[in-house]
Amino acid sequence: MKLHKLILTAVAGSLLFVSCSDDDNKDVPSGAYDNGVLILNEGGFLKGNASVSFLSEAAGAEVENDIFSLVNGGGLLGDTAQDMGFNGDLAYIVLNGSNKIEVVNRYTFTGETTISTGLVNPRYIAFANGKAYVTCWGDATVATDDYVAVINLALNTVGATIPVAEGPESIVEENGKLYVAHSGGYNYGNTVSVIDASSNTVTKSITVGDVPNSLELENGNLYVLCGGVPSWGGTETAGELNVISLNNNTVTKTLDFAAATHPSNLVIEDNNIFYTIDNGVYSTPIASGSLPASPLFTTADQGVYGIYGFAVEDGLIYVADAGDYNAAGKIYIYSAAGVLQNDYVVGVIPSGFYFND
Amino acid sequence: MILKRSTLLILLFLCQYLTAQNDTIILKGIIISDTQLNNFSDSQSVQKLNDSVIGRNAASLTSLLNYNTNIYFKENGLGMVSSPSFRGTTASQTAVVWNGININSQLNGQTDFNVLNTRDFNNISVRAGGGSVAYGSSAIGGSIHLNNDLSFGNRFNNSLRTDYGSFNTVGVNYHVVAATEDFTANAGISHNSSDNDYDYQGTNKTNENGQYYNTSLNIGIAYRLNQKNILRFYGYLFDGERHFSGTLAAPSRSKYQSTDSRNLVEWSGYYGKFTSRLKGAYLYEKYKYYENYKNDLYTNGNVKTYIARYDLTYDVSETIKLNTILDYTHNNGEGSDIIHKKRDIGSASLLMKHELTKRFKYELGVRKEITDSYESPVLFSLGINTLINRFYTIKLNASRNFRIPTYNDLYWAGSGNPELKPESSYQAELGNEFRFKGLTLSVTGYYIKMRDMLQWTPGTNGIWSPGNVGKSKSYGVESILNWNKKLGTGNVAVTGTYAYTISRKDESDKQLIYVPLHKTTASVAYSYKNASVYYRHLFNGEVFTSSDNKYSLDPYNVGSAGTEYTIKALKGIDVGVQVNNVWDEKYLAYEVRPMPGRNYTMYLNFKF
């Protein structure tokens, strides 16, 4: 019976497989995460596999993955890491799916505390007046329960909440004022809220393009990149770049993208504006006052679908590739001219770069 | 969420035995609706789980099949969404057939194996391998058959079973059979509920927001008009609410309500060499999903399905049987996320069985579907069953099968792709069946080649949409063992299954996610007079949770033990106790969702 042979082969083969599948040796954490970039890996929703990777700026450095877990006795970081903010020696990791913030020492990644009360669908974090401001969606299906949680950093508790319009997303601070982009959550927003940190109240709502997805502060201006309503969202609209003067909180300039164009990932670095559209990286001097027609480069050669995370720092361009959103993702580092310098395998769904100097 | 029951005599046949029932069903007085399972499955492995096995397991189909068959389950925590992988395929490549009707959801193409109560059926069979010619979409890895067999003959029997277990898990099932020589009615009602708040071993967390309840109502009626004509009705209504539990890393406040109604009327006529069956079915599925159970906002979907089918069998001679099936299916689906669409599918199948000699028979089948919703391939199947000697039978089967795109795939607002083709497979298997005294062993090797795989992938614009992308293959070996032995006045029954599965995308050496290389089950039962004891065991090998095989879940061993005693009162009262996860194994069947440690169930079953 040939099948008997097949079974024997199968069984023997399977034993071989088992013997080969021993666990990898657990890495020893270096515990030294200064002078390099921390990469936040979002992880899959409800998969609990958010993680942080570290890449030292030292020449020839290899990426160190899963540092939170390695430093903190194998503990899970949490579910869907959305953002990380630095304040003093501490890093605050916002875990959307876990409704919590993990507070760690930003240089050693030793866990300090966990803030897990008062945060429902937390998204992004900024700091002002000795407090942390965290945008929260509340229930994503409820349009009216969105808020900004104000965390007392001495107590690490949510002390106040500021009700805001639906879908507060990116948040930045300047001069005691917080600027919140309302991408709209499950719907589509088109405003930026201004919050006065001294009174914790919304002092103004500024209308911008549809679905503002990223904010940058530069020279007394707030740059707001709006992705526009996507094709599946009803009436599709194109992206816009709005410039808001912080003197009077009004839009002083708007640059329109072509129809059906949906930019994201705004970065301003060294007097240049960077953003991405699909797999293209675009750049233009702030002074140019117009949008470039063609990309600086594309990530097509690397097979990157859409650019999931993006940063520009010290003349290098960082791209995060979520791949199939299930396997370990990759990051690519390009020169200012768009020439690939290096790539690294990181955690699942890399989404953000945080330069730790 | 899940586990549990039984009787003395039944122990003899504990669990599955491989069966090639003959098709003289009317003579035996048992009427079944799924005739293809009996008539055209000789070249494949059919594993039948009888009453006693069903009774000894928890009410969910997941538990029953996980502990007794080669099918692997990806269960999102006890009682939560549960999807099978049969021969390395996916949940949507496994058909669930209720009294002959395919009941996979039109919305997502699958059946959630935790929203079917096994106690509502008296015959559950697992047919491995391709079956699209007879059962349509999704019968690629195999099909699960949930049947309510009816029989005539004067009687009036009732049973009332109550289960109570850890985590405040309560089950009640009442069943009545009333029959005369020309009329039979079976009815059952089940209610299950659980707080399902078990501890996550080794942590200070519990399974929060995992509570569920469900009620199902099940009816089977047959009326013999005369010697040649029988009218039948089958109805199954399931209504349940589950909270979706949190994980080790994330809390949850979501809940899910679903209602499924399945109705089938059938007129069978037995006219000499012709058997004619005219069927009409109405299926209704509906769900509501609440992100937060505390408020009343939800997303929803529902599909109504109407089926008209004519099934004609012609016994050309003593040895040749022909069967044609004409089927017309109309779906009408809508929901908060899908475009309201109607779709019509017509199909014609022709099946043939020829018993060339006493020892050699072959089966042929062909099917073609016509619809304006997608292009459908011609499906076929060829099979051989040859009895080498008293102890040994060889089965050979080759077929082409398919899985049609679902409502979600085609009509999801903004992302659906109306240009999709069905995914299809070419597959072959070689089965060996050995019988020796009380021992039955089957060993089947198979190979499945899938093409036009339906998958959702992100585009460069970040939009996820479905496409016919890629090819894959699965191959492996399945074996099923049964052994029964009389020991003095007692009986020993041993069963075991083992599956070795390789499943990969073409041009990849990575195992597909959530397909274990190895899975084994075993059970031993001993019965003596009115008492029985049993133990069953499940070993599940490592499963990868990511496509790069970088992340995985550890293998696990879970055992459960039970005992039952039948008191001679009324028509019998069974008293049973079970210890589930006896070794208190700490394990996960899905990422960050631990399963419960050691827990207990007890039950009483009054027959009167």
Side-chain angles (χ1 to χ4, degrees):
Chain A
M1 270 294 312
K2 279 181 185 163
L3 212 66
H4 290 160
K5 277 187 186 166
L6 182 58
I7 298 164
L8 281 176
T9 313
V11 171
S14 57
L15 290 175
L16 207 67
F17 278 112
V18 171
S19 61
C20 294
S21 66
D22 286 346
D23 290 346
D24 301 327
N25 291 330
K26 284 291 174 202
D27 296 325
V28 179
S30 68
Y33 306 115
D34 200 357
N35 300 317
V37 58
L38 292 162
I39 298 123
L40 192 60
N41 304 294
E42 194 172 291
F45 180 57
L46 291 181
K47 295 214 163 185
N49 56 353
S51 67
V52 179
S53 304
F54 175 72
L55 179 62
S56 166
E57 61 194 28
E62 280 304 309
V63 78
E64 199 177 328
N65 287 322
D66 219 5
I67 62 174
F68 177 90
S69 184
L70 287 176
V71 169
N72 294 292
L76 290 175
L77 174 59
D79 203 288
T80 324
Q82 190 68 37
D83 191 23
M84 176 157 58
F86 295 142
N87 189 48
D89 285 348
L90 300 178
Y92 293 75
I93 305 166
V94 181
L95 293 144
N96 176 253
S98 302
N99 287 343
K100 69 171 184 179
I101 292 175
E102 282 293 343
V103 186
V104 301
N105 181 298
R106 65 191 275 193
Y107 303 117
T108 64
F109 253 68
T110 312
E112 297 277 338
T113 190
T114 304
I115 305 166
S116 55
T117 306
L119 300 168
V120 181
N121 268 320
R123 305 290 296 173
Y124 289 81
I125 189 167
F127 301 89
N129 263 1
K131 299 189 181 72
Y133 289 79
V134 182
T135 53
C136 295
W137 283 5
D139 283 339
T141 43
V142 179
T144 54
D145 65 346
D146 302 53
Y147 63 99
V148 173
V150 185
I151 294 172
N152 179 324
L153 295 177
L155 302 172
N156 285 314
T157 55
V158 174
T161 58
I162 307 165
V164 295
E166 189 180 14
E169 196 78 346
S170 299
I171 181 168
V172 294
E173 184 272 339
E174 179 78 4
N175 266 337
K177 300 272 195 311
L178 294 138
Y179 298 87
V180 178
H182 294 274
S183 61
Y186 278 9
N187 291 304
Y188 304 104
N190 65 346
T191 58
V192 170
S193 294
V194 185
I195 292 171
D196 185 337
S198 60
S199 62
N200 284 342
T201 52
V202 176
T203 55
K204 185 160 187 187
S205 172
I206 307 163
T207 301
V208 294
D210 289 332
V211 196
N213 58 40
S214 34
L215 302 175
E216 280 280 80
L217 291 157
E218 190 77 11
N219 296 333
N221 287 318
L222 177 65
Y223 289 77
V224 183
L225 186 64
C226 305
V229 176
S231 58
W232 70 87
T235 310
E236 185 173 4
T237 58
E240 284 179 29
L241 178 64
N242 302 119
V243 184
I244 295 170
S245 163
L246 298 184
N247 289 332
N248 53 12
N249 286 336
T250 52
V251 176
T252 56
K253 187 172 185 179
T254 293
L255 298 174
D256 291 316
F257 286 83
T261 305
H262 304 289
S264 56
N265 294 313
L266 177 69
V267 172
I268 297 179
E269 180 78 2
D270 299 333
N271 294 315
N272 282 302
I273 294 174
F274 294 85
Y275 58 89
T276 68
I277 299 171
D278 298 343
N279 63 359
V281 174
Y282 291 75
S283 169
T284 185
I286 293 179
S288 85
S290 64
L291 298 169
S294 54
L296 179 64
F297 67 98
T298 80
T299 58
D301 287 348
Q302 284 71 50
V304 178
Y305 273 136
I307 295 172
Y308 204 72
F310 182 74
V312 183
E313 182 83 358
D314 294 339
L316 294 173
I317 297 170
Y318 294 74
V319 166
D321 176 14
D324 65 359
Y325 292 77
N326 162 286
K330 287 178 94 172
I331 60 166
Y332 296 92
I333 302 176
Y334 300 85
S335 70
V339 178
L340 182 65
Q341 310 290 299
N342 259 313
D343 60 282
Y344 302 92
V345 175
V346 291
V348 177
I349 315 182
S351 57
F353 299 93
Y354 302 86
F355 297 92
N356 204 16
D357 298 316
Chain B
M1 341 183 193
I2 326 253
L3 294 198
K4 322 155 216 197
R5 152 183 84 118
S6 184
T7 341
L8 174 77
L9 231 192
I10 318 178
L11 275 172
L12 271 172
F13 308 101
L14 162 93
C15 293
Q16 341 76 8
Y17 54 94
L18 300 149
T19 172
Q21 278 188 20
N22 65 45
D23 44 53
T24 52
I25 43 175
I26 191 113
L27 298 178
K28 295 197 323 200
I30 295 174
I31 340 161
I32 66 169
S33 201
D34 189 350
T35 47
Q36 283 75 29
L37 182 63
N38 294 275
N39 289 350
F40 296 98
S41 303
D42 286 350
S43 61
Q44 287 169 274
S45 151
V46 177
Q47 185 183 358
K48 184 174 169 183
L49 305 170
N50 59 26
D51 272 356
S52 67
V53 187
I54 296 171
R56 229 177 241 158
N57 283 273
S60 84
L61 195 55
T62 302
S63 164
L64 176 71
L65 300 178
N66 203 6
Y67 283 91
N68 297 290
T69 73
N70 285 311
I71 305 171
Y72 161 75
F73 284 89
K74 176 174 85 175
E75 193 176 16
N76 294 5
L78 189 62
M80 298 296 125
V81 173
S82 168
S83 44
S85 171
F86 202 159
R87 293 188 166 178
T89 65
T90 66
S92 45
Q93 293 156 357
T94 304
V96 175
V97 178
W98 168 77
N99 290 309
I101 304 285
N102 188 324
I103 57 168
N104 279 24
S105 165
Q106 297 294 327
L107 291 165
N108 64 16
Q110 333 182 342
T111 296
D112 179 348
F113 282 63
N114 277 337
V115 293
L116 285 165
N117 284 334
T118 54
R119 311 218 196 290
D120 292 323
F121 312 102
N122 57 12
N123 173 352
I124 296 178
S125 296
V126 175
R127 184 183 193 266
S132 284
V133 167
Y135 300 108
S137 180
S138 297
I140 297 175
S143 45
I144 318 295
H145 300 257
L146 310 173
N147 291 321
N148 297 99
D149 294 348
L150 304 174
S151 58
F152 295 118
N154 286 323
R155 67 198 185 285
F156 180 62
N157 292 328
N158 295 270
S159 69
L160 176 65
R161 172 173 166 146
T162 58
D163 290 70
Y164 183 76
S166 303
F167 329 123
N168 196 25
T169 302
V170 182
V172 182
N173 172 262
Y174 169 72
H175 191 248
V176 58
V177 180
T180 67
E181 292 305 325
D182 294 315
F183 177 80
T184 181
N186 285 12
I189 183 163
S190 298
H191 183 79
N192 293 289
S193 66
S194 177
D195 292 348
N196 203 23
D197 53 352
Y198 54 88
D199 292 334
Y200 291 167
Q201 293 156 283
T203 75
N204 54 6
K205 297 180 183 211
T206 57
N207 191 51
E208 285 178 85
N209 197 47
Q211 64 269 37
Y212 64 86
Y213 67 82
N214 58 63
T215 305
S216 54
L217 184 66
N218 162 57
I219 293 171
I221 296 169
Y223 177 57
R224 180 146 56 195
L225 295 169
N226 52 45
Q227 277 309 104
K228 294 192 167 173
N229 293 285
I230 296 176
L231 280 181
R232 272 180 280 168
F233 171 77
Y234 298 92
Y236 185 52
L237 178 68
F238 180 98
D239 183 68
E241 176 179 292
R242 270 186 300 182
H243 285 238
F244 282 160
S245 65
T247 73
L248 280 170
S252 169
R253 293 181 297 173
S254 61
K255 76 172 180 184
Y256 182 86
Q257 294 174 336
S258 60
T259 304
D260 289 281
S261 164
R262 286 128 187 171
N263 306 279
L264 170 67
V265 287
E266 181 169 339
W267 168 34
S268 315
Y270 305 87
Y271 314 116
K273 293 185 166 201
F274 291 94
T275 306
S276 147
R277 295 183 174 84
L278 181 63
K279 304 185 188 194
Y282 170 65
L283 312 176
Y284 177 64
E285 59 177 292
K286 175 178 93 168
Y287 78 87
K288 284 183 181 177
Y289 171 76
Y290 298 75
E291 182 205 9
N292 182 350
Y293 69 87
K294 289 175 183 160
N295 65 43
D296 55 5
L297 296 170
Y298 57 82
T299 55
N300 68 307
N302 76 74
V303 181
K304 299 181 183 82
T305 299
Y306 303 86
I307 300 169
R309 182 178 297 176
Y310 187 65
D311 176 323
L312 180 70
T313 307
Y314 172 45
D315 293 316
V316 179
S317 68
E318 287 279 293
T319 57
I320 298 177
K321 187 185 284 289
L322 285 177
N323 184 193
T324 62
I325 307 166
L326 299 173
D327 183 288
Y328 176 76
T329 299
H330 173 79
N331 303 124
N332 183 353
E334 61 185 343
S336 47
D337 297 308
I338 57 170
I339 301 161
H340 184 186
K341 278 280 179 187
K342 293 177 181 175
R343 102 178 157 186
D344 297 276
I345 303 168
S347 77
S349 307
L350 176 65
L351 299 112
M352 173 192 164
K353 180 160 76 175
H354 184 187
E355 211 172 310
L356 207 58
T357 71
K358 282 276 170 228
R359 294 183 153 207
F360 183 89
K361 51 190 164 186
Y362 64 89
E363 298 170 329
L364 303 172
V366 63
R367 176 190 178 109
K368 173 69 183 165
E369 243 181 27
I370 299 162
T371 173
D372 52 9
S373 300
Y374 49 83
E375 282 293 315
S376 202
V378 174
L379 308 175
F380 68 86
S381 74
L382 319 163
I384 290 169
N385 175 309
T386 172
L387 188 70
I388 303 296
N389 58 38
R390 240 172 359 120
F391 313 112
Y392 179 37
T393 304
I394 291 181
K395 296 174 172 186
L396 190 64
N397 185 277
S399 59
R400 183 171 195 202
N401 305 283
F402 76 157
R403 194 267 276 196
I404 65 176
T406 64
Y407 260 74
N408 289 354
D409 295 332
L410 293 166
Y411 309 128
W412 193 267
S415 307
N417 177 356
E419 305 302 316
L420 293 172
K421 291 183 285 190
E423 57 187 12
S424 63
S425 70
Y426 285 102
Q427 55 197 85
E429 63 183 85
L430 174 65
N432 302 268
E433 206 173 285
F434 307 92
R435 289 168 186 273
F436 184 72
K437 295 187 174 168
L439 180 88
T440 322
L441 170 69
S442 85
V443 179
T444 307
Y446 63 87
Y447 188 93
I448 303 173
K449 183 98 191 71
M450 297 286 314
R451 58 155 79 169
D452 298 324
M453 300 273 288
L454 285 170
Q455 275 171 13
W456 285 67
T457 50
T460 53
N461 50 10
I463 302 176
W464 289 68
S465 61
N468 289 104
V469 293
K471 299 177 176 183
S472 72
K473 53 183 169 293
S474 295
Y475 54 94
V477 178
E478 284 173 351
S479 57
I480 305 172
L481 171 88
N482 289 275
W483 181 64
N484 291 292
K485 175 87 179 157
K486 246 184 175 324
L487 286 180
T489 46
N491 273 291
V492 180
V494 175
T495 70
T497 70
Y498 169 71
Y500 174 76
T501 313
I502 299 278
S503 187
R504 295 171 179 165
K505 279 190 176 170
D506 282 14
E507 281 109 44
S508 164
D509 59 351
K510 308 290 187 203
Q511 178 87 340
L512 290 181
I513 62 168
Y514 285 103
V515 178
L517 219 47
H518 308 281
K519 186 194 166 192
T520 304
T521 68
S523 72
V524 183
Y526 176 71
S527 60
Y528 181 77
K529 293 187 174 168
N530 291 345
S532 62
V533 291
Y534 53 90
Y535 173 77
R536 65 169 177 261
H537 195 90
L538 164 69
F539 168 76
N540 206 106
E542 179 185 34
V543 292
F544 295 107
T545 59
S546 67
S547 54
D548 55 0
N549 286 187
K550 196 172 172 184
Y551 307 99
S552 65
L553 296 177
D554 291 338
Y556 50 86
N557 277 288
V558 187
S560 62
T563 181
E564 183 174 276
Y565 185 77
T566 303
I567 300 163
K568 286 182 179 163
L570 303 173
K571 287 179 181 168
I573 301 171
D574 306 327
V575 183
V577 179
Q578 289 170 331
V579 186
N580 305 311
N581 193 359
V582 136
W583 314 115
D584 208 21
E585 173 91 342
K586 185 179 165 186
Y587 72 108
L588 291 85
Y590 191 81
E591 294 155 279
V592 291
R593 295 183 178 276
M595 295 294 278
R598 187 181 300 122
N599 64 89
Y600 307 88
T601 304
M602 56 191 175
Y603 60 83
L604 279 171
N605 189 12
F606 299 89
K607 295 166 190 163
F608 55 96

